[in-house]
Amino acid sequence: QVQLVESGGGLVQAGGSLRLSCAASGRTFSSYAMAWFRQAPGKEREFVAVISWTGDSTYYADSVKGRFTISRDNDKNTVYLQMNSLKPEDTAVYYCAAPSEEHTIVVGASLYDYWGQGTQVTVSS
């Protein structure tokens, strides 16, 4: 059974930085893309970033491009989201997610089968 456990959320002032981590277990981590999504109160879950299984390819939502960086360490079975220049509109619960298919990069939330419990990120103005 695939398990994803996020950590690193918290309260930060606008302009600050946070680094989220997601530790994965239960299958061969290096064969699957990994993604981050977020959900703000009253809004739908939205795509933030995805990274390929090798880490060579990354894609970002326009709203975070240039401020957030997704990376992974396949030796540690962990994916990261470095968030810089945070804005109040980045406030949300952040989830890491994994697809069921190997070697596939997708961005739609419905295409991800495994989700972490989420970690709260709050950016104050």
Side-chain angles (χ1 to χ4, degrees):
Q1 180 70 15
V2 176
Q3 289 191 324
L4 304 174
V5 180
E6 302 101 334
S7 61
L11 173 64
V12 64
Q13 288 188 331
S17 298
L18 281 175
R19 187 196 196 202
L20 306 183
S21 300
C22 173
S25 62
R27 65 181 184 183
T28 305
F29 180 74
S30 58
S31 295
Y32 298 86
M34 293 292 296
W36 288 94
F37 288 79
R38 67 186 182 186
Q39 188 166 18
K43 295 188 176 182
E44 292 188 355
R45 191 168 297 188
E46 66 171 354
F47 167 78
V48 174
V50 63
I51 187 167
S52 66
W53 48 98
T54 60
D56 291 343
S57 297
T58 57
Y59 301 94
Y60 298 91
D62 288 343
S63 58
V64 306
K65 202 172 294 182
R67 300 187 298 121
F68 291 11
T69 303
I70 189 171
S71 61
R72 65 189 296 157
D73 185 335
N74 285 344
D75 290 333
K76 295 182 178 179
N77 289 358
T78 301
V79 62
Y80 305 97
L81 186 68
Q82 178 67 44
M83 305 185 294
N84 298 329
S85 302
L86 283 160
K87 305 175 181 180
E89 51 263 44
D90 294 318
T91 295
V93 177
Y94 283 71
Y95 299 90
C96 70
S100 58
E101 291 192 30
E102 293 181 318
H103 306 137
T104 301
I105 298 176
V106 293
V107 298
S110 62
L111 299 173
Y112 284 81
D113 296 291
Y114 303 103
W115 296 84
Q117 82 285 357
T119 185
Q120 177 70 47
V121 171
T122 303
V123 184
S124 63
S125 57

